[in-house]
Amino acid sequence: MATAFEKHGALSVRGTQLTDKDGQPFQLKGPSTLGIVWYPEYINQAAFETIRNWGGNLIRLAMYTAEDGGYLTDGDQDYLKGLLDTGVKAATELGMYVIIDWHILSDGNPQTNKEEAKKFFAEMTEKYAGYDNVLYEICNEPNGEGVDWATVKAYAEEVIPVIRKKAPKAVIIIGTPNWSQDVDHAADDPVAGEQLMYAVHYYAATHKQYLRDKVSYAMDKGLPVFISEYSNCDASGNGDLDEEEARKWAEFADERCMSYAQWNLANRDETSSMVKVPCTKTSGWEDDDLTETGLWMKKRLGGEI
Ligand code: IDC
């Protein structure tokens, strides 16, 4: 059977829609890793193949910049880049798409480490120049005092040209203020250029209709929006699930053919982790090995939800 990449090839953004090589609307879907440094064992080809068997065509590789083991704090940069490389190669081998995510979080202002980001993306695009299945997410979740859209936009305007030198046509996902919620602000003043998408992140037990309304506003204004992170629990990544809201979001995403990555492919003791805590399998999970959110991902990828 042809892989997703064989069928859909290099992607392009047309209007609000991600489309495939033939210009047909195309939905990327799959899990996001947790911090790659914390759960490196999930970055392996058999794991991604399991996701592919479920119907997934996407893996998001989340590399924290400032948390424990972060790329810009106490992390070993060569080791982290090695993990990304393992992930990119595994996804490529399987004909899947892969997002390299510069996962800012406690370092909420992307401007703070802009020069490091530029250096990182210069290296990544040099290395993956010929890889049409790689997408670049340049700032996971801008947040904090004064980190408004103008701040993020100015950052994007410096990082994007760096990426464009070697990856002129790669899809770039730009985070939005307020933990990637303010897509409406981005829609009022988008970044110039092609092949750009904007991140919305939702945690269904916390972010409800008001956030879908922001997405509708943004898309109605012509902004291409990518759900590069979501889960069905609350914004802490833990707590109770909200199944009703989760279904509303899933329906909303499918109606608009929006791409999505579900947080997180790991076995941490939190609701958003897809693998149960005692399970140490790093691929080939059976239903009994999966948490509620893991089963959700599987059903969602399989078209049952
Ligand atoms: C959370 C993880 C948790 C980790 C924490 C670090 O689930 O295990 O200890 O980060 O601060 C986001 C972030 C994402 C968060 C997640 C849940 O992008 O990094 O992961 N979340 O809080 N945005 C909204 C929720």
Side-chain angles (χ1 to χ4, degrees):
M1 214 173 84
T3 66
F5 186 72
E6 280 163 354
K7 273 190 258 175
H8 301 284
L11 306 178
S12 51
V13 181
R14 299 190 181 191
T16 60
Q17 189 59 60
L18 187 62
T19 66
D20 71 4
K21 64 175 168 41
D22 301 318
Q24 295 304 312
F26 184 52
Q27 203 174 19
L28 291 176
K29 44 189 182 176
S32 173
T33 65
L34 220 167
I36 52 171
V37 75
W38 301 329
Y39 292 88
E41 64 273 29
Y42 291 87
I43 303 166
N44 71 79
Q45 193 168 320
F48 297 180
E49 194 171 354
T50 304
I51 300 298
R52 192 179 74 166
N53 290 342
W54 293 353
N57 56 22
L58 173 71
I59 304 285
R60 176 184 190 239
L61 300 170
M63 188 187 70
Y64 284 91
T65 46
E67 322 305 314
D68 283 347
Y71 190 80
L72 301 176
T73 47
D74 55 336
D76 175 337
Q77 296 194 346
D78 288 333
Y79 172 66
L80 288 164
K81 283 185 279 202
L83 290 176
L84 290 174
D85 197 52
T86 302
V88 170
K89 299 272 165 66
T92 304
E93 199 63 38
L94 294 162
M96 297 173 81
Y97 295 82
V98 58
I99 298 175
I100 296 178
D101 162 36
W102 182 253
H103 202 87
I104 66 164
L105 189 62
S106 59
D107 47 342
N109 189 341
Q111 293 277 3
T112 310
N113 297 313
K114 181 177 62 193
E115 293 310 320
E116 287 86 347
K118 285 159 75 175
K119 195 169 159 237
F120 172 75
F121 283 109
E123 269 185 63
M124 290 299 107
T125 47
E126 168 93 45
K127 205 161 167 184
Y128 305 119
Y131 289 63
D132 288 336
N133 61 327
V134 177
L135 295 82
Y136 299 95
E137 184 166 3
I138 62 173
C139 49
N140 169 51
E141 292 187 353
N143 69 83
E145 194 75 33
V147 182
D148 56 7
W149 174 242
T151 310
V152 180
K153 187 183 181 194
Y155 166 80
E157 285 172 341
E158 283 202 49
V159 175
I160 291 166
V162 172
I163 294 176
R164 288 293 177 241
K165 278 186 199 158
K166 297 281 180 193
K169 297 214 170 121
V171 172
I172 298 173
I173 303 168
I174 307 167
T176 55
N178 199 12
W179 292 277
S180 285
Q181 293 187 77
D182 290 349
V183 284
D184 48 338
H185 298 182
D188 288 339
D189 184 22
V191 178
E194 310 278 306
Q195 299 288 79
L196 305 176
M197 298 190 81
Y198 298 80
V200 71
H201 291 177
Y202 73 81
Y203 283 76
T206 304
H207 311 119
K208 305 186 180 186
Q209 190 58 43
Y210 79 93
L211 187 54
R212 288 190 291 277
D213 290 345
K214 275 172 174 282
V215 175
S216 296
Y217 170 92
M219 292 185 82
D220 288 349
K221 280 200 117 178
L223 200 79
V225 180
F226 195 121
I227 302 168
S228 53
E229 199 185 289
Y230 80 93
S231 189
N232 297 340
C233 56
D234 69 38
S236 71
N238 210 346
D240 293 337
L241 298 167
D242 189 330
E243 170 115 14
E244 196 186 324
E245 281 295 324
R247 285 188 183 275
K248 284 186 190 167
W249 272 110
E251 227 168 82
F252 180 82
D254 288 346
E255 267 166 20
R256 287 163 180 72
C257 195
M258 296 172 77
S259 295
Y260 55 84
Q262 184 176 317
W263 190 259
N264 64 60
L265 185 62
N267 65 346
R268 183 164 269 185
D269 188 14
E270 60 181 16
T271 316
S272 56
S273 269
M274 294 180 209
V275 181
K276 279 183 185 166
V277 172
C279 175
T280 53
K281 289 188 205 169
T282 55
S283 64
W285 308 283
E286 304 290 340
D287 288 1
D288 279 353
D289 302 323
L290 300 171
T291 62
E292 285 296 308
T293 49
L295 286 167
W296 174 278
M297 171 93 290
K298 185 181 172 192
K299 287 188 193 150
R300 187 101 173 86
L301 296 177
E304 286 176 59
I305 296 169

